[in-house]
Amino acid sequence: MTVTNCPSCGGQIQFAIGSSAVVVCEYCRSVVARGDRKPEDLGKVAAIIETDSRLRRGGTGRCRGVGFQLTGRTQMKHPSGGVWNEWYAAFDNGRWGWIAEAQGKFYLTFASPKVKPPPISALRIGKAVPEVAGMVVYEIAEAEMVAAEGEIPWRFEPGGQYEYADLSGEEGKFATIDYSEEPPLVFAGREVEFEELGLDGSGARPAEKQVKGIALSCANCGGRLDLVAPDQAERVICPNCGGAHDTTQGKLRFLHVLKRKKVEPQIPLGRRCKFYGDEYVVAGFMQRSVHFDIHYYWTEYLLYNEKRGFRWLVQSDDHWSFVRPVPAGEVTDSGEHVEETPANIEVAKTISWRGKSFKIYQTAMAKVEFVVGEFYWRVEEGEEVATADYIAPPEGLSKEVTTGESREINYSHAKYLTPEEVEESAGVTGLPRPAGVGTMQPFPGPNLLLPWAWFVAALFVLAILFAVTSPNRVVLKESYDLTAPLGTTDPEVPAGATSRVIFTPSFELTGRRNLVIEGSSAVSNSWVYVDGDLVNEGSGALETFDLPIEYYSGSDGGESWSEGNQKRRVSLSSMPKGKYALRLEAQWPPGASPPFLHVQIREGVFRIPHLIRAFLILSIIPLIMLIRYLVWESSRWADSDFSPYKSASAGDDEDDE
Amino acid sequence: MKKLYVAFGLLVLAVYGVVMWLGLDFHQTKRGKMPQSARSRQGGYRSYWHTGYYGGK
């Protein structure tokens, strides 16, 4: 420990940590750096803006088994006006950790001197930086160092501007590249939960002093302003008069009255809601719009939970979704991009997040139409952001890109909620029910594809088994010349006869096997009609059938044609085991020569029509569901410029116009 | 609904199996019985052998 005097006021200052670079004098707020011979005064900094941070200088904690002490912090001001804390943790193993605290989240990083990042001009929002473990750039901005306290491991100048880029990766990985120095410095680590810091009582704000919410008065109308997250709110809009206030300097500062057409939120501000096991308070409400042929409006409720931070509840066409932020580093795109996009942002046709693929639904410039309540950024009516919405029902991913003083990309994940679920969670009633299909609304019917596929597979396995085991035995095969006597006692067939009765020899049937009786005759432009009886010679049981054999052919205008068949087949159900004979009565047209008749009976024949019938019956219900699903999906995509259901001809018509 | 379809599918498979096992068919035929009087006559219905080509039964 080195004890010395402030070169500005003479007050005593301590360099408690051997590797610290500067100390902020508690008396005069001068930034004092270690010098070769004597301490150096780098200038004064502003007093810390009280943000009700959950951390305290001087506190101790333990992270991943290594103890640390919070020695100091700086406060950095974002171009949008927001302020965040950067705490400095001196670890017992001699390392310094940076703990960035913003919007209720904590990011613990360590210097990575071996990483050589590319120049800032080479960075692109939304693109991965291979040198920094492939993490994705989600913000490029310039911060101003506005306040500081305690002992700090780097030499800074009060009021200095620092260019930086923030990157995110999967599983909470985080990195920041500091371009204020040459070469640029990389700090890499990850997002951590407050509990992971293992802070003891000295390092954390006492529970009883944690601000749950405060009530202020509007500077314009005197109306009550309830802040649920006063340490993170940057903008508050009075619900009574629309007076916009800034809260970034630790106090309420009136800006102006917003011109607007008032929109009533269906869930009141301050209402406590429970979603996925966590309780949230409705902090803010806004209405946004996009413009295509007409204006489309939707509303968003900003929810706050002290542990989880901020979430959104979005209502569009009376469909609801619960939305939470997602690190840009966890999203990968397909590589194929949309051609025309708002503000020329890069928009992929599909993106992936946690193994799930999302398809582009719409791109647009979203504009804030109305806003009331508390927000964590300096929201203004009329502000616009380029958006791209992706869907994978019942989920969605939204990409918002801001350009301007800071370039930033934000991804958020949405999960569909029914009005009933929102009513139950928010304790409200009477929410309007949606009329059409929501963009993320899941299809209400069952997914029968898998069970249908299993059944079809089982059906074909059964069919193959039966086909292989069918005997297909010929039990009778006879041919008859209908012009000749069939037996020694048969008389001659008289001239002009048009029918003949035949009895076949007896044959045995084994039972429990179907029968196929086939009759054929070489008729040509003629017919022979066979009326048959299959007779059990023992019991007399019989089954009648007919075989209408006819065949016609000719030529018409050089084209030949044919109709009918010289063979006819009939299938019969199994007959009991026994001895059988066929009685056949053949008829033919007058004047025609009696034809030859061939008869064959087979037993145990595999029947394909049964298989087809079973397949069709199995498929009816899935087919109906498929049609319903296609109609549903077509309706879902009706308002999208990227609908897979829009016909090519519709696209050609648009081109012609 | 999914459970109903699964039950329905199992039923269809079972019916198919039974139909194939028992050799059933859905052809429109008539079953009947040769009268005892016709069967008990000498030669039975084969007496038609001699007159059948006139179309008689």
Side-chain angles (χ1 to χ4, degrees):
Chain A
M1 180 186 298
T2 304
V3 180
T4 186
N5 295 97
C6 172
S8 177
C9 69
Q12 194 180 71
I13 56 174
Q14 288 181 2
F15 286 89
I17 311 295
S19 53
S20 61
V22 300
V23 164
V24 178
C25 176
E26 286 184 23
Y27 305 102
C28 67
R29 293 201 298 278
S30 290
V31 179
V32 180
R34 291 178 193 266
D36 290 334
R37 283 181 293 176
K38 56 179 182 176
E40 198 180 330
D41 183 358
L42 300 179
K44 292 195 189 318
V45 286
I48 286 289
I49 300 162
E50 197 49 65
T51 58
D52 285 318
S53 169
R54 299 172 74 185
L55 306 182
R56 282 287 177 268
R57 181 166 66 95
T60 54
R62 199 162 193 88
C63 190
R64 292 191 175 178
V66 184
F68 66 86
Q69 185 187 31
L70 295 174
T71 62
R73 66 165 152 168
T74 54
Q75 283 186 327
M76 312 296 278
K77 187 177 176 183
H78 191 270
S80 67
V83 167
W84 80 90
N85 293 310
E86 214 160 80
W87 294 89
Y88 304 101
F91 279 77
D92 294 345
N93 57 9
R95 292 177 85 190
W96 280 96
W98 270 245
I99 302 176
E101 181 188 11
Q103 294 168 18
K105 296 183 183 180
F106 299 92
Y107 303 87
L108 173 61
T109 58
F110 297 90
S112 303
K114 291 182 183 172
V115 177
K116 305 287 178 243
I120 196 169
S121 56
L123 297 181
R124 294 288 177 271
I125 291 286
K127 293 295 180 195
V129 179
E131 296 89 335
V132 190
M135 283 196 251
V136 172
V137 178
Y138 72 87
E139 185 179 12
I140 301 171
E142 192 173 64
E144 180 189 347
M145 207 287 294
V146 293
E149 65 172 351
E151 202 169 342
I152 293 161
W154 60 288
R155 187 186 169 103
F156 66 88
E157 287 181 14
Q161 305 280 339
Y162 303 94
E163 265 192 314
Y164 70 93
D166 281 343
L167 300 86
S168 67
E170 293 187 10
E171 296 170 0
K173 284 184 189 162
F174 173 82
T176 191
I177 307 175
D178 181 355
Y179 285 96
S180 64
E181 296 197 25
E182 191 52 48
L185 300 171
V186 175
F187 298 85
R190 63 182 183 87
E191 185 181 343
V192 294
E193 297 289 333
F194 177 77
E195 289 74 24
E196 287 180 75
L197 296 173
L199 290 162
D200 58 22
S202 62
R205 177 180 45 174
E208 62 273 15
K209 287 195 179 168
Q210 285 175 16
V211 178
K212 298 291 181 189
I214 58 173
L216 301 171
S217 295
C218 172
N220 187 49
C221 70
R224 185 180 164 121
L225 295 176
D226 288 307
L227 304 189
V228 299
D231 52 333
Q232 293 170 70
E234 293 187 15
R235 187 56 57 91
V236 178
I237 293 90
C238 176
N240 303 307
C241 68
H245 300 73
D246 183 81
T247 62
T248 55
Q249 302 301 320
K251 51 190 177 195
L252 204 64
R253 184 167 61 93
F254 175 75
L255 297 172
H256 51 262
V257 175
L258 302 177
K259 303 175 216 175
R260 73 258 185 90
K261 181 182 66 178
K262 195 168 179 179
V263 179
E264 279 300 324
Q266 289 174 324
I267 303 173
L269 297 186
R271 175 62 60 98
R272 295 194 172 269
C273 315
K274 198 160 186 178
F275 291 99
Y276 305 108
D278 293 313
E279 191 175 87
Y280 295 86
V281 176
V282 178
F285 170 78
M286 65 160 57
Q287 183 191 57
R288 294 212 283 176
S289 73
V290 290
H291 180 71
F292 298 112
D293 43 350
I294 58 173
H295 273 98
Y296 288 92
Y297 296 91
W298 73 93
T299 55
E300 300 183 7
Y301 297 79
L302 179 63
L303 310 176
Y304 177 70
N305 171 283
E306 195 179 63
K307 232 180 157 182
R308 299 284 183 203
F310 291 99
R311 298 289 185 263
W312 292 92
L313 193 62
V314 176
Q315 181 192 19
S316 175
D317 287 337
D318 299 324
H319 294 278
W320 296 82
S321 54
F322 184 80
V323 179
R324 61 188 182 97
V326 159
E330 290 187 0
V331 179
T332 52
D333 73 37
S334 60
E336 204 186 335
H337 293 93
V338 172
E339 284 177 6
E340 285 177 28
T341 61
N344 291 320
I345 61 169
E346 204 168 80
V347 174
K349 288 187 176 174
T350 55
I351 55 177
S352 299
W353 177 69
R354 294 194 180 176
K356 194 159 188 175
S357 188
F358 295 76
K359 284 188 198 167
I360 182 71
Y361 184 85
Q362 200 61 279
T363 61
M365 290 299 291
K367 183 177 165 187
V368 175
E369 296 282 352
F370 172 82
V371 61
V372 68
E374 194 179 333
F375 291 86
Y376 57 83
W377 81 98
R378 296 195 305 188
V379 63
E380 288 281 355
E381 282 182 4
E383 76 177 30
E384 286 186 309
V385 64
T387 67
D389 290 326
Y390 296 81
I391 60 169
E395 299 171 44
L397 271 180
S398 186
K399 172 178 173 173
E400 292 188 2
V401 182
T402 50
T403 55
E405 286 177 308
S406 74
R407 288 164 284 161
E408 196 173 338
I409 185 172
N410 288 297
Y411 282 97
S412 44
H413 173 260
K415 200 157 181 196
Y416 186 81
L417 292 171
T418 62
E420 292 80 6
E421 287 173 313
V422 175
E423 283 176 345
E424 191 184 335
S425 295
V428 295
T429 56
L431 290 178
R433 284 354 189 209
V437 176
T439 54
M440 288 177 282
Q441 188 178 5
F443 173 63
N447 183 356
L448 298 178
L449 179 64
L450 199 58
W452 173 81
W454 277 111
F455 282 134
V456 168
L459 178 67
F460 276 88
V461 166
L462 265 180
I464 289 168
L465 274 172
F466 282 119
V468 162
T469 56
S470 294
N472 204 16
R473 185 173 73 97
V474 177
V475 299
L476 177 80
K477 191 170 182 177
E478 296 288 328
S479 295
Y480 300 97
D481 179 358
L482 297 177
T483 60
L486 299 175
T488 53
T489 55
D490 249 3
E492 291 284 334
V493 176
T498 59
S499 69
R500 181 89 185 263
V501 175
I502 300 162
F503 288 92
T504 67
S506 301
F507 50 89
E508 289 282 343
L509 293 180
T510 56
R512 205 184 51 77
R513 303 266 185 225
N514 66 334
L515 301 169
V516 173
I517 302 174
E518 188 178 288
S520 61
S521 180
V523 292
S524 181
N525 290 316
S526 186
W527 53 270
V528 60
Y529 182 81
V530 180
D531 214 350
D533 296 316
L534 176 66
V535 185
N536 185 312
E537 291 187 338
S539 64
L542 62 87
E543 182 141 347
T544 57
F545 59 90
D546 51 57
L547 295 169
I549 303 168
E550 54 187 345
Y551 182 76
Y552 305 91
S553 65
S555 179
D556 190 2
E559 257 184 62
S560 58
W561 58 272
S562 66
E563 190 183 320
N565 208 316
Q566 292 175 337
K567 262 188 203 174
R568 275 286 178 174
R569 195 179 289 156
V570 66
S571 300
L572 305 182
S573 290
S574 59
M575 299 289 279
K577 185 177 177 177
K579 207 168 179 182
Y580 288 80
L582 272 186
R583 179 189 178 276
L584 303 170
E585 183 172 337
Q587 297 175 46
W588 57 90
S593 304
F596 263 82
L597 179 66
H598 310 281
V599 178
Q600 180 178 269
I601 301 180
R602 284 181 293 141
E603 186 186 42
V605 180
F606 177 74
R607 296 269 292 135
I608 289 179
H610 290 338
L611 173 63
I612 294 171
R613 282 188 199 105
F615 174 79
L616 289 174
I617 292 170
L618 277 176
S619 304
I620 287 172
I621 296 173
L623 186 63
I624 292 170
M625 284 297 142
L626 177 65
I627 293 168
R628 277 190 62 199
Y629 173 79
L630 291 173
V631 169
W632 180 275
E633 287 297 304
S634 179
S635 187
R636 179 202 306 285
W637 286 90
D639 289 333
S640 168
D641 289 337
F642 304 95
S643 170
Y645 298 91
K646 276 189 182 150
S647 63
S649 57
D652 291 341
D653 291 341
E654 287 169 10
D655 290 339
D656 290 339
E657 283 171 15
Chain B
M1 174 72 179
K2 202 167 183 174
K3 285 183 186 167
L4 273 176
Y5 176 72
V6 168
F8 173 74
L10 289 171
L11 179 66
V12 169
L13 286 179
V15 168
Y16 176 75
V18 165
V19 163
M20 294 301 283
W21 179 256
L22 294 179
L24 300 177
D25 213 295
F26 304 107
H27 182 74
Q28 292 289 330
T29 57
K30 269 193 257 180
R31 289 211 173 180
K33 200 155 183 179
M34 185 68 65
Q36 184 66 33
S37 56
R39 287 160 47 218
S40 63
R41 245 187 276 157
Q42 189 177 12
Y45 50 82
R46 289 184 184 266
S47 61
Y48 294 120
W49 179 270
H50 301 288
T51 56
Y53 49 74
Y54 287 123
K57 275 202 176 116

